Amino acid sequence: MKSAVETLNPTRVRLSIEVPFEELKDSLDAAYKKINQQVTVKGFRKGKIPARVIDQRFGRGAVLEEAVNDALPKFYTDAVNEAELNVLGQPEVDITELKDGETLNFTAEVDVRPTIEIPDYSGIEVEVDAVEVGEEDIDKAVEELRERFASTAPVERAAEEGDVVTLDLEAKVDGEVLEDGVASGVSYTIGSGELLEGIDEAVKGLEAGGEATFSSELKGGSAAGKESEVTVKVSQVAKRELPELDDDFAQLASEFDTLEELRADSRKRLENMKQYDQATQAQERVLEKLLELVEVPVPEKLLEDEINTRKHNLEHHQLGQMGLDLEKYLEIQGKTAEEFDAETKEAAVKGIKTQFVLDELVNKEKLNVNQEELTEHLMRRAASSNMSPDQFAQAVVEGGQVPMLVGEVARGKALAVVVEAATVKDTNGEIVDLDDEDEDETPAETSAETPAEDAPEDKPEA
């Protein structure tokens, strides 16, 4: 076999491959054997039909077609390996010449990873938010905890903002009660916005036994997105009562004996949260600066696939779980289809560039991933996917996605190298030390995978 490579652009090549006919012998033998098992000829036992008879009865062309289809992947792979190409996706193959007994010539056009030069990134400087926790922040955190320990007591008066009401609901569309539009004993806090639009106005002022009807667009169920006539009946009105902010509350709501200790712990927790947010912000801003330094051509087909994958995941996974379609989602977001497409393309381009650059850094810095790092990353991914580590690991292995996870960890380590070399200051002008942060946690944009890696969506598919 002979092969030659022609560079069409920085991300696409054409392979021209010439195969002497004798190298097709194994594939021709396999083709005759396969056809032998599929056909019957009178006077011959199944599987024992001579090649000349198959040629006469079914045509030499059918045999050649079967043999070529069998042989092409191997010769293509050999040519790719010989040229040391880093291909992306599937090739477009064109058979240019097939002479029986002489030669097979074909071309294969395929996207390849572009050659990327990583410049000196030690001069990157970014600014992040300072870690500052004020008394008002602690007050808010303690108040949120206090809200969680609120109790309710029935009252004999009209419902007010903040009251907890027990409701019976009935939804009609076009005058017909929906099968899944009836609910009894629903507990609802007025003003929480957790149920239907318009329900707050309908139940305010009602006492136990009171009833009201209002119109609202249904958020989920069989008639999601449709305008409905909703009848609501109040069976109980209860007032929320918050516990006193004292040492007794601290003992009730935490492991601490005093309110002062509880507030001190709240401060520590808030500082840890803000430090994590600060580290994430530093990674994102350093990554943006790095991408500005590097010229990264993006393969058109890869970009198209990435855009389609992002749209598919949004429509069929995220929105589907919320009972929304894309049109309704765009309406809620206040975006046009054109704006959505532009934003999706921008995010896809950034994701692909990020992966290319960080993968090149992995090679340049000779970064490896050990078993402990992979296990820690798997545990985090399992938690974010609402799966047990064992379930997630099984799905990853069965889906052949271990290399994808290894790539995620390696790219996280590559970004950590750049962040460590960068100068990170907070808004007070102080140098920020990020040494204690996890190396394999990277911004969302780094998770875009090439089609060849078949990245999972929100969780691996078993």
Side-chain angles (χ1 to χ4, degrees), residues 200-246:
D200 289 340
E201 292 74 12
V203 298
K204 283 181 186 177
L206 295 181
E207 297 183 17
E211 187 176 301
T213 299
F214 64 100
S215 295
S216 182
E217 184 178 294
L218 297 178
K219 295 181 179 179
S222 61
K226 292 185 178 180
E227 195 70 20
S228 171
E229 182 182 85
V230 182
T231 299
V232 57
K233 184 176 181 180
V234 178
S235 58
Q236 178 181 277
V237 178
K239 180 181 179 181
R240 298 180 77 252
E241 296 180 344
L242 298 174
E244 293 293 328
L245 280 177
D246 52 24

Side-chain angles (χ1 to χ4, degrees), residues 359-375:
D359 283 348
E360 185 62 31
L361 268 169
V362 169
N363 294 329
K364 180 179 179 180
E365 302 293 343
K366 297 180 173 59
L367 301 176
N368 296 310
V369 176
N370 60 42
Q371 185 61 48
E372 182 180 356
E373 292 166 336
L374 182 60
T375 300

Side-chain angles (χ1 to χ4, degrees), residues 402-419:
V402 174
M404 180 272 298
L405 284 186
V406 172
E408 289 179 357
V409 179
R411 283 189 283 276
K413 295 180 71 172
L415 180 56
V417 169
V418 183
V419 173

Side-chain angles (χ1 to χ4, degrees), residues 101-248:
E102 295 184 26
T103 186
L104 164 66
N105 295 332
F106 69 96
T107 62
E109 286 191 19
V110 66
D111 287 333
V112 294
R113 280 182 178 252
T115 300
I116 299 173
E117 294 293 331
I118 303 295
D120 179 17
Y121 47 78
S122 60
I124 291 178
E125 294 186 12
V126 298
E127 184 181 74
V128 296
D129 295 336
V131 174
E132 296 175 341
V133 177
E135 290 300 313
E136 65 278 6
D137 297 316
I138 301 172
D139 291 342
K140 182 180 178 182
V142 172
E143 189 63 26
E144 289 175 353
L145 183 61
R146 188 183 179 207
E147 290 277 349
R148 286 164 48 192
F149 283 85
S151 59
T152 58
V155 292
E156 295 183 2
R157 60 164 172 76
E160 301 173 355
E161 183 84 8
D163 284 345
V164 179
V165 289
T166 304
L167 309 172
D168 295 334
L169 298 163
E170 180 183 85
K172 295 180 179 178
V173 173
D174 298 329
E176 297 290 331
V177 178
L178 299 171
E179 289 186 10
D180 56 353
V182 179
S184 300
V186 177
S187 180
Y188 175 67
T189 301
I190 300 177
S192 67
E194 295 175 350
L195 280 178
L196 299 169
E197 186 175 345
I199 195 169
D200 289 340
E201 292 74 12
V203 298
K204 283 181 186 177
L206 295 181
E207 297 183 17
E211 187 176 301
T213 299
F214 64 100
S215 295
S216 182
E217 184 178 294
L218 297 178
K219 295 181 179 179
S222 61
K226 292 185 178 180
E227 195 70 20
S228 171
E229 182 182 85
V230 182
T231 299
V232 57
K233 184 176 181 180
V234 178
S235 58
Q236 178 181 277
V237 178
K239 180 181 179 181
R240 298 180 77 252
E241 296 180 344
L242 298 174
E244 293 293 328
L245 280 177
D246 52 24
D247 292 346
D248 288 339

Side-chain angles (χ1 to χ4, degrees), residues 428-441:
N428 294 327
E430 299 291 331
I431 297 291
V432 177
D433 183 5
L434 300 171
D435 287 345
D436 294 333
E437 299 303 323
D438 291 322
E439 289 187 340
D440 66 336
E441 290 299 302

